[in-house]
Amino acid sequence: MSTALTPPANAIPPVRHPDAPAPGELLGAHYAHCFGCGGAQPHGLHLAARAGEGVTVTAEFTVTPDHQGAPGLAHGGVLATALDETLGSLNWLLRVIAVTGRLETDFARPVPVGTVLHLEAEVTAVAGRKIYSTATGRIGGPDGPVAVRADALFIEVKVDHFIDNGRPEEIQAAMADPDQVRRARAFEVNP
C-alpha cells in the first residue's frame, strides 16, 4: 500500500451515521445510469451492495461476456470498477458525499466469465475530509479465495463538485428528481 493510502497518525476510527441503512439492507443504485450499480446501464455491472455491521458493506456482481478482457476472463478494469463501486457504497453509511481520490488494486487470480464476485469493504479510518477504506473480491463464495483487493482514499466533497463538473442535462435531471433520498444518492460516489 502506498503512503498516500496510509491514514495519518491523527486519523480516527469511522463512525456509522445514526441514519445509515440497517445491516443487511440493500443499498440500491445511487444513480440509474451509473455503470457500476445502475439498472439503466444494459452492459453495466448491476452491482448490488448491502449494508454490513459497523462501517462495512458486502456486494455481488456476476461477470458477463460484456465484462471480458482476455477471452473468457473478466477485464481488470471492470474488476477495479467493481471494487471502486463497492468502496464508494461505504460513504452512504457515513452519510457523506465523497469521490475516489486514489484506488490501488491488486489482482490475485483470474476471474472467469460467469463468476459471481463476492465483495467486502470497510472504512478503516477518517482524517478530516479523507476517508480510508479497503476491499476484497472473492470467487466461489463469500469465503472463497481472494481474486482482487483494493485500498482506497475517498475525499468528501459538496454537491457543487458535481454541479460544476458534470454535464448540465444529467445534473438537472438528478436535481429535479422528487425523491429526496434518490436525489442525494445520485451524487454519492466517484469523481
Side-chain angles (χ1 to χ4, degrees):
M1 177 169 37
S2 74
T3 57
L5 295 173
T6 302
N10 66 342
I12 60 172
V15 177
R16 184 188 188 100
H17 192 279
D19 296 330
E25 187 174 331
L26 185 65
L27 299 179
H30 73 90
Y31 180 56
H33 298 283
C34 174
F35 181 79
C37 65
Q41 286 291 345
H43 303 295
L45 304 184
H46 302 246
L47 188 132
R50 290 189 180 279
E53 297 292 332
V55 189
T56 67
V57 297
T58 59
E60 291 183 357
F61 97 95
T62 301
V63 178
T64 71
D66 294 319
H67 303 140
Q68 65 189 313
L73 296 174
H75 189 287
V78 169
L79 297 174
T81 300
L83 288 161
D84 185 46
E85 187 68 33
T86 304
L87 289 157
S89 295
L90 289 164
N91 298 313
W92 188 240
L93 302 179
L94 299 174
R95 297 297 294 261
V96 299
I97 299 171
V99 296
T100 309
R102 184 175 184 96
L103 179 69
E104 197 169 288
T105 307
D106 296 312
F107 301 94
R109 65 180 63 231
V111 179
V113 169
T115 298
V116 176
L117 191 64
H118 300 268
L119 299 130
E120 291 180 12
E122 71 173 317
V123 175
T124 58
V126 176
R129 294 176 43 227
K130 295 180 177 181
I131 302 163
Y132 298 86
S133 53
T134 189
T136 58
R138 298 174 182 270
I139 57 176
D143 297 320
V146 173
V148 292
R149 65 178 63 87
D151 292 301
L153 170 64
F154 279 77
I155 308 297
E156 185 176 348
V157 297
K158 301 295 182 205
V159 74
D160 291 348
H161 169 85
F162 301 95
I163 293 169
D164 294 345
N165 297 293
R167 288 192 337 168
E169 53 271 24
E170 277 91 359
I171 298 298
Q172 289 167 1
M175 294 296 279
D177 192 320
D179 182 329
Q180 184 177 12
V181 171
R182 201 168 52 224
R183 181 173 56 244
R185 289 206 60 210
F187 300 101
E188 176 175 60
V189 296
N190 299 327

